[in-house]
């Protein structure tokens, strides 16, 4: 790093979804020396957008803790990342867990979300942990730049999919199951250049709180994780080279976080031994930003 302000080499990806394998440096998906303790032994997890970034780190952490893992990715665009994640999970999983399942899907549409859930249930019989994580984002300087097509696309991926996957997965979840939604620090502090993305992340917070109340009597917990600036493929696919080089330098810890620093939040919330009395809450791995929420 050239200075504290310059965190990463300048780089840019021209299209979303961003890809992990060309990033420099590659995001860190695991913590060296981390010792698992069978927190999720025998459970079945579905992670949307699990091929890269935070999703990949969550998949790897869940596998280490004993879960059988399925994840979604975008067809024809994320095959390399998805295959890499499959191999990572296979190396990390416990001996009694089944081989991972990667499912290509555009989650913005209800019928695709139903197919994903059906594929997981047909392979593994049930869903114990659902992580709604898929997202996309685009910069803009003014609300006038956001037309109906773009607004619908961002909302379909970032919040419609959470509703759609959840409504189908719940048919196969029981008492003790857990739903974890990925929101963002931007839902709490705002982001001038990510207006539509930030709006969806605020919706996810409200969705998490309301759904937790709806499912409390069924014994299914619903929580969220609101990461701050994390080094994922969304970053070079969203921002300019100069913005990428300084990414994360403005938070109190003066650096971007790694996906591996976020994944333990999901493990904690998924594990009934750790968080059985926690629902409707959001964890904030954000480098020290105070959000008062």
């Amino acid at each position: 790093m050239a200075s504290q302000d310059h965190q990463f080499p300048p780089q840019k990806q021209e299209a979303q979804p961003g890809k992990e394998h060309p990033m420099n440096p590659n995001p860190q998906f695991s913590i060296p020396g981390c010792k698992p303790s069978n927190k999720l032994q025998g459970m079945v997890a579905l992670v949307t957008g699990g091929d890269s970034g935070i999703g990949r780190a969550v998949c790897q952490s869940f596998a280490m803790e004993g879960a059988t893992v399925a994840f979604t990715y975008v067809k024809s665009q994320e095959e390399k990342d998805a295959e890499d994640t499959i191999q990572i999970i296979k190396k990390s999983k416990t001996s009694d867990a089944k081989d991972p399942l990667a499912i290509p899907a555009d989650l913005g549409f209800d019928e695709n979300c139903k197919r994903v859930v059906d594929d997981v249930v047909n392979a593994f019989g049930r869903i114990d942990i659902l992580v709604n994580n898929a997202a996309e984002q685009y910069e803009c300087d003014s609300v006038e730049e956001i037309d109906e097509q773009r607004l619908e696309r961002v909302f379909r991926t970032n919040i419609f999919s959470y509703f759609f996957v959840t409504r189908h997965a719940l048919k196969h979840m029981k008492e003790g199951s857990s739903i974890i939604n990925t929101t963002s620090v931007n839902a709490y502090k705002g982001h001038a250049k990510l207006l539509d993305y930030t709006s969806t992340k605020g919706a996810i917070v409200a969705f998490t709180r309301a759904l937790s109340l709806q499912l409390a009597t069924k014994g299914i917990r619903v929580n969220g994780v609101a990461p701050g600036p994390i080094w994922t493929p969304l970053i070079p696919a969203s921002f300019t080279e100069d913005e990428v080089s300084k990414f994360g330098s403005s938070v109190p810890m003066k650096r971007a976080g790694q996906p591996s620093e976020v994944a333990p939040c999901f493990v904690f919330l998924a594990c009934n031994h750790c968080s059985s009395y926690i629902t409707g809450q959001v964890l904030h791995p954000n480098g020290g930003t105070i959000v008062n929420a």
Side-chain angles (χ1 to χ4, degrees):
M1 297 179 188
S3 71
Q4 227 179 21
D5 287 338
H6 287 78
Q7 304 282 309
F8 303 102
Q11 55 200 282
K12 177 69 177 172
Q13 296 187 27
E14 296 304 324
Q16 291 209 32
K19 299 172 179 61
E20 184 151 329
H21 59 274
M23 292 175 68
N24 178 26
N26 289 135
Q28 181 181 338
F29 61 82
S30 66
I31 300 174
C34 179
K35 297 187 184 302
S37 55
N38 299 321
K39 291 183 178 68
L40 308 177
Q41 197 74 30
M43 303 182 84
V44 174
L46 168 59
V47 181
T48 67
D51 60 288
S52 64
I54 292 169
R56 173 182 287 182
V58 170
C59 287
Q60 193 267 347
S61 294
F62 281 6
M64 283 184 63
E65 293 292 345
T68 294
V69 178
F71 66 89
T72 70
Y73 67 98
V74 178
K75 187 177 182 179
S76 302
Q77 299 181 60
E78 295 180 324
E79 271 83 2
K80 174 68 166 63
D81 283 348
E83 180 54 36
D84 289 347
T85 299
I86 284 286
Q87 298 308 316
I88 288 165
I89 295 171
K90 284 183 176 179
K91 291 177 182 177
S92 302
K93 79 179 189 69
T94 56
S95 59
D96 59 333
K98 295 181 180 178
D99 281 342
L101 178 65
I103 308 170
D106 179 350
L107 297 175
F109 300 90
D110 184 72
E111 62 269 23
N112 296 344
C113 295
K114 182 181 186 302
R115 179 180 58 79
V116 167
V117 169
D118 288 346
D119 285 353
V120 176
V121 174
N122 287 338
F124 305 131
R126 67 187 192 281
I127 296 172
D128 301 302
I129 306 162
L130 170 61
V131 175
N132 289 307
N133 173 71
E136 57 186 275
Q137 67 181 24
Y138 307 92
E139 275 197 307
C140 69
D141 292 316
S142 169
V143 66
E144 297 169 88
E145 297 177 24
I146 303 173
D147 60 19
E148 182 176 357
Q149 182 178 6
R150 169 170 148 174
L151 186 66
E152 182 178 353
R153 180 65 219 171
V154 172
F155 268 75
R156 280 193 175 278
T157 299
N158 294 13
I159 180 64
F160 283 23
S161 71
Y162 286 36
F163 275 86
F164 295 154
V165 176
T166 299
R167 68 188 291 263
H168 296 297
L170 277 171
K171 299 178 180 70
H172 310 282
M173 304 179 82
K174 60 186 180 182
E175 183 176 354
S177 296
S178 177
I179 298 170
I180 309 167
N181 301 317
T182 304
T183 176
S184 168
V185 67
N186 293 326
Y188 298 88
K189 71 180 186 63
H191 194 301
K193 291 192 173 184
L194 296 174
L195 181 59
D196 44 356
Y197 171 85
T198 298
S199 299
T200 65
K201 293 301 177 175
I204 291 166
V205 173
F207 172 68
T208 298
R209 291 171 173 170
L211 186 64
S212 73
L213 298 174
Q214 197 174 91
L215 298 181
T217 57
K218 296 183 178 180
I220 298 175
R221 297 180 298 106
V222 186
N223 294 289
V225 179
I230 308 298
W231 184 235
T232 74
L234 269 182
I235 306 313
S238 303
F239 300 122
T240 67
E241 288 191 3
D242 184 60
E243 289 168 331
V244 168
S245 71
K246 298 174 183 177
F247 180 69
S249 61
S250 64
V251 301
M253 291 181 73
K254 300 298 181 186
R255 67 172 180 86
Q258 292 290 335
S260 60
E261 297 178 290
V262 179
C265 294
F266 290 84
V267 174
F268 171 77
L269 292 172
C271 174
N272 283 308
H273 300 305
C274 298
S275 58
S276 60
Y277 199 52
I278 298 176
T279 194
Q281 309 304 314
V282 178
L283 300 184
H284 296 273
N286 65 23
T289 301
I290 305 300
V291 296
N292 294 320

